[in-house]
Amino acid sequence: MEAGKVSAKRPPALASNEFELIARFCRHLKLSRRTILGPGDDCAIVEPSRWPSVTTIDSTVEGLHFKVDWGTPEQIGARSVLVNLSDIAAMGATPTHCVVNLAVRAGLSDKFLERLYDGLKGAVSDSSMDLVGGNITGADQLAITITVIGELRGQALRRGNARANDEIFVTGTLGDAALGWRILDGKLALAKGKNRNWLIARYLRPSPRIRPGQLLAQIKPAAAAIDVSDGLAQDLGHVLEKSNVGAEIEIDAIPVSRAYCSVSGPNRDLALTGGEDYELLFTIRPGCSQAALSKRLGLSVRRIGRITRRRGLRILHDGKPARIAADSLRGWDQLGDL
Ligand SMILES: [Mg+2]
């Protein structure tokens, strides 16, 4: 992981050169003992772990996931780390190291980039990871790509672990981030106040469920889990596909926040299909109550349905097939008989 690497394509319109920028960004980096050599050489060197290693990568791209005026540069930097951590949470793993590639377009000041990196470093240190390398390259739009490495100290929460009759649970509430995104994008007008702030914060500052994921990984047999990044229906579809099973979910059981209800009333379409919430969706063998699981995982979880032998995803309302707005069903084709 080359910390000081400079790509052939020069970042446009930056006052500092790339080496100066990387040196500035990496100032005051705190590294744990497990990092033998951090940024500044051709590669970082880290102590081997006694546990199996997990690796994930994700990009946050301007125009696709955010616009620069939606939040502070610090918020954009922090969010790019948090969405990566959510994948680590969905495996039941513990994050340990990360490396960052920053693709920079013309028109962004050094100060903006430094603040973005400050937010990124804050989120890295809050999660007890070491940032061990980085790269800066030129691009047509701002993009932050992060690889997170972690260790698996217990069972893996694989998508293929679901079995017929398992119960399906989700953490927290769903649909908030999708509404926050619509507010930020100017597609939804909502009066200033607590609800608006909450929905926007749910988009800008996701809470990766690292600790609940680790606690879930202690329950035997291992749960199937996925983080809800693309919407409950689509993400559950990935679990069903990997596990070769189907599911029934009760749409009214999907947990939503007070702020969500203030906008959508009883309609759960966006909670079913809106992404970016980064809550955990998991399936476990029957017999564990909602209250006991919430206590054990340290946050509120809700039972929303069960895994079936019959393939496909069935959305129910009071036990009968639910009517979902046609435009909510986009991208569901792979799920079979809806
Ligand atoms: Mg994921």
Side-chain angles (χ1 to χ4, degrees):
M1 310 294 178
E2 195 167 349
K5 185 180 174 186
V6 179
S7 84
K9 191 172 178 187
R10 187 182 170 82
L14 290 174
S16 312
N17 74 38
E18 300 81 349
F19 294 113
E20 284 169 11
L21 269 182
I22 289 174
R24 264 167 60 190
F25 291 167
C26 292
R27 255 186 333 207
H28 311 307
L29 258 190
K30 288 198 187 98
L31 299 172
S32 70
R33 276 194 189 167
R34 62 189 170 220
T35 297
I36 298 168
L37 185 64
D41 211 307
D42 294 305
C43 289
I45 308 175
V46 299
E47 286 278 6
S49 163
R50 57 182 284 218
W51 309 107
S53 176
V54 295
T55 308
T56 182
I57 187 168
D58 206 0
S59 290
T60 299
V61 180
E62 182 182 10
L64 195 60
H65 301 105
F66 69 92
K67 290 180 184 159
V68 288
D69 57 354
W70 280 7
T72 63
E74 288 87 347
Q75 283 173 321
I76 294 167
R79 188 178 184 281
S80 65
V81 175
L82 298 173
V83 300
N84 269 273
L85 286 174
S86 183
D87 280 328
I88 296 283
M91 288 304 280
T94 303
T96 55
H97 298 88
C98 65
V99 290
V100 178
N101 182 63
L102 200 54
V104 179
R105 66 162 166 83
L108 298 173
S109 68
D110 285 11
K111 186 67 197 164
F112 176 93
L113 296 174
E114 194 167 350
R115 288 180 60 192
L116 185 149
Y117 230 76
D118 281 345
L120 190 151
K121 284 191 292 185
V124 166
S125 107
D126 287 351
S127 58
S128 304
M129 277 194 293
D130 288 354
L131 174 57
V132 296
N135 180 62
I136 298 180
T137 182
D140 294 333
Q141 68 228 111
L142 176 64
I144 310 149
T145 301
I146 303 184
T147 295
V148 177
I149 297 158
E151 53 194 30
L152 201 52
R153 299 176 185 175
Q155 305 174 99
L157 304 177
R158 296 182 184 207
R159 297 177 183 184
N161 286 349
R163 299 289 176 266
N165 297 320
D166 277 6
E167 297 192 310
I168 307 170
F169 291 85
V170 286
T171 62
T173 57
L174 295 180
D176 299 324
L179 287 174
W181 185 89
R182 280 162 175 74
I183 295 169
L184 288 165
D185 203 37
K187 292 189 167 76
L188 171 66
L190 195 60
K192 283 188 179 167
K194 240 168 50 180
N195 289 338
R196 188 177 189 277
N197 293 345
W198 159 264
L199 295 170
I200 289 175
R202 286 280 283 161
Y203 182 80
L204 285 181
R205 182 94 196 170
S207 304
R209 303 303 189 185
I210 295 282
R211 189 61 190 144
Q214 293 165 343
L215 293 168
L216 181 62
Q218 291 174 7
I219 298 175
K220 291 186 177 172
I226 190 168
D227 60 320
V228 183
S229 55
D230 297 327
L232 169 63
Q234 208 169 113
D235 290 318
L236 176 56
H238 297 315
V239 171
L240 303 184
E241 199 177 303
K242 283 279 180 193
S243 298
N244 208 16
V245 289
E248 282 176 0
I249 61 171
E250 180 62 40
I251 192 162
D252 293 325
I254 300 173
V256 290
S257 67
R258 195 175 297 179
Y260 178 96
C261 290
S262 78
V263 177
S264 299
N267 187 304
R268 296 283 207 278
D269 287 5
L270 212 49
L272 185 67
T273 60
E276 312 284 336
D277 281 309
Y278 298 102
E279 295 293 347
L280 289 184
L281 164 69
F282 60 94
T283 81
I284 60 170
R285 303 291 184 270
C288 211
S289 76
Q290 201 169 271
L293 259 180
S294 298
K295 196 170 172 200
R296 186 154 182 182
L297 302 188
L299 86 171
S300 169
V301 302
R302 183 78 63 85
R303 182 189 181 282
I304 59 165
R306 68 182 187 92
I307 296 292
T308 59
R309 216 171 295 281
R310 184 182 159 200
R311 299 289 302 275
L313 173 60
R314 284 160 291 281
I315 317 277
L316 306 177
H317 172 67
D318 285 338
K320 300 191 184 86
R323 287 184 183 190
I324 313 290
D327 64 347
S328 298
L329 297 173
R330 273 177 309 180
W332 282 18
D333 302 346
Q334 76 277 22
L335 297 180
D337 52 342
L338 292 167

